[in-house]
Amino acid sequence: MPGPGHILIICTANICRSPMAAALLRHFLAGQDEPLRSLKVVSAGIAARDNSPPSDYAVAAMKKVSIDLTGETSRTLTQELLDGALAVFCMTESHRAMIQLQFPRVPRHLYLFRQFLPPPVDPEVDDPYGGPLSVYEACRDNLVEAVPSIVQFLKTIVPPAPPTPT
């Protein structure tokens, strides 16, 4: 279980979009200053089975950008994951609506993954499941496009690191 203040990425089965998005966000945050660099990023699914590996095409699409998903496993979304999240990013409006309907405590920071991109842009990320590798690559690219805007948003809600004494 991640510690309090993690970033939570949500999709349906947690085997395509959300593990790709979480890995991309972790990769990007690794290049940021503290405290962003130390943020834990996890993913879960509204209808996930625990411990399923990512889809083969999700692994292949991410390998093409030098990110390894092979150690990832799916997990079911729980109230505990939501309660500990600093921010939650969903792939679609229906994921956000399901959280709002199914969970008694809804996170204050509940958004769509592409919500912070300037218009006109579709804020939803289509599910590539069942499609060819090219559909997974397009999904990955849609996720990549959104990551800088998410990092900019996180900078507004994550308290800055305390100054280093000199």
Side-chain angles (χ1 to χ4, degrees):
M1 183 61 57
H6 57 268
I7 306 304
L8 181 58
I9 314 291
I10 303 298
C11 73
T12 304
N14 193 213
I15 60 169
C16 300
R17 293 171 289 180
S18 58
M20 289 194 301
L24 288 164
L25 186 55
R26 278 193 295 270
H27 180 77
F28 198 94
L29 288 173
Q32 300 296 304
D33 293 331
E34 292 296 348
L36 291 178
R37 180 180 341 171
S38 295
L39 284 175
K40 179 129 175 115
V41 181
V42 297
S43 64
I46 292 283
R49 274 195 227 142
D50 287 334
N51 300 314
S52 294
S55 73
D56 291 342
Y57 282 156
V59 172
M62 294 302 286
K63 187 175 184 177
K64 287 187 171 195
V65 293
S66 302
I67 296 177
D68 185 9
L69 287 185
T70 56
E72 299 286 325
T73 58
S74 63
R75 75 174 92 200
T76 304
L77 180 60
T78 64
Q79 185 69 61
E80 186 177 8
L81 279 171
L82 290 170
D83 288 347
L86 176 64
V88 179
F89 297 96
C90 302
M91 295 296 127
T92 66
E93 191 60 58
S94 64
H95 295 135
R96 181 163 47 183
M98 288 176 80
I99 290 170
Q100 292 167 332
L101 290 170
Q102 293 180 354
F103 292 92
R105 292 180 306 280
V106 176
R108 181 174 137 216
H109 294 291
L110 178 62
Y111 306 101
L112 296 181
F113 197 81
R114 291 173 49 87
Q115 181 171 335
F116 297 103
L117 288 169
V121 68
D122 185 354
E124 297 198 358
V125 179
D126 291 335
D127 192 351
Y129 188 76
L133 179 57
S134 61
V135 171
Y136 282 78
E137 291 168 341
C139 177
R140 177 203 61 214
D141 294 346
N142 282 334
L143 296 168
V144 167
E145 182 183 29
V147 169
S149 65
I150 289 174
V151 171
Q152 288 306 311
F153 168 73
L154 291 175
K155 287 177 180 179
T156 70
I157 65 168
V158 174
T164 308
T166 52

